Amino acid sequence: MKPFFEKKGVTVPKDRSWTWNEMKDALKKVADKNTYGIAYFAKNEQADQLMVSNVLAAGAQWANKDITEYTVNSSEGVEALSFMLSLQEEGLVAPGTATMDVNGNFELFKQGKLAILNHTSPVYGDLEAGKKNGAVDPSVEAFGIIPVVKEGVTPRITVTGENGYAIFKQDDPEKKKMAVEFVKFLTQPENIKAINKATYGISARKSGTYEITNKDAAEVFEQLNKLEIVDLGKNKAYFSTLRQKFYPEMQAAFLKAKSPKQALDDFVKNANELAAKK
């Protein structure tokens, strides 16, 4: 949150990028008894791509190129998870990572109690709506930055939040016809554009692009669009099960029930077993 840093004399990065140490130094200056530095969340698989992004921040690879072997338990992955835990030990992380979800994370930010928010692009629309209905503190001012990484590592984007439409099996021919017509209506370029604009979504189709009126969002989106996208294997049939294997290991690490290495080793073991099944 930009005002927090400005009040403490900390300059936000003009190029919208921070390294681990730069972020850590900034958090030490803004975190106090009324304000948490950053929050992580591992209650469930919701928005887990953000936790994955943090685990990849030292240069780890999620998996090999064809996603037949998971490799996030490399030394780089362990280093990244260890860094997150070090911030917790220094009191820079909001308490309760194991029981916090992405909504709880956002709630702290809305109330002006969190300096750095891990979130996705629709947060801009949520903040605007919240200020109108009184759910968001008026002092909250977002300043988007690209994923924070270790010094010397190139930032990347993890994506699992693609939107689409599906028609469930329907025996009634009239209902099926209407459902198909409705999906055709929703996927017209002008409607895709309207939906994306309302939610600050990023269109996969050029015909669905739109002018972003929020200056801050426009600037950070421009930077994000230049970054490599990490394929997390969402097209794999077992992906939903894979996500169920990830967050318990994050919980175990933050609760210190497992070391960072053990947590990632156990996740990779489960992930590779899923990948090996035919």
Side-chain angles (χ1 to χ4, degrees), residues 167-185:
I167 299 175
F168 289 94
K169 186 177 180 180
Q170 178 56 256
D171 294 327
D172 186 316
E174 184 61 23
K175 290 182 178 179
K176 182 177 181 180
K177 177 183 176 182
M178 295 303 295
V180 170
E181 289 300 314
F182 183 56
V183 170
K184 286 182 178 179
F185 168 77

Side-chain angles (χ1 to χ4, degrees), residues 19-22 57 149-153:
T19 63
W20 274 357
N21 288 333
E22 288 170 338
V149 294
K150 178 185 176 182
E151 290 73 8
V153 173

Side-chain angles (χ1 to χ4, degrees), residues 186-215:
L186 289 175
T187 53
Q188 291 299 308
E190 63 270 22
N191 294 326
I192 291 177
K193 186 181 299 185
I195 293 170
N196 284 333
K197 187 174 182 179
T199 61
Y200 281 89
I202 299 175
S203 178
R205 292 166 54 176
K206 290 182 179 180
S207 61
T209 57
Y210 60 98
E211 181 183 358
I212 302 174
T213 56
N214 183 305
K215 184 174 182 293

Side-chain angles (χ1 to χ4, degrees), residues 61 154-158 224-231:
Q61 299 298 320
T154 301
R156 294 167 289 169
I157 304 176
T158 53
L224 291 173
N225 284 333
K226 298 175 183 178
L227 303 183
E228 174 191 349
I229 296 176
V230 179
D231 183 1

Side-chain angles (χ1 to χ4, degrees), residues 104-169:
N105 171 52
F106 184 43
E107 193 63 35
L108 289 175
F109 192 76
K110 288 197 305 182
Q111 296 172 8
K113 297 179 180 179
L114 190 65
I116 293 181
L117 172 71
N118 275 297
H119 220 290
T120 54
S121 61
V123 72
Y124 283 100
D126 294 337
L127 289 174
E128 290 171 359
K131 286 187 178 182
K132 290 179 181 178
N133 64 28
V136 175
D137 189 293
S139 66
V140 173
E141 182 184 348
F143 180 81
I145 61 174
I146 62 177
V148 179
V149 294
K150 178 185 176 182
E151 290 73 8
V153 173
T154 301
R156 294 167 289 169
I157 304 176
T158 53
V159 178
T160 63
E162 302 91 340
N163 295 318
Y165 303 102
I167 299 175
F168 289 94
K169 186 177 180 180

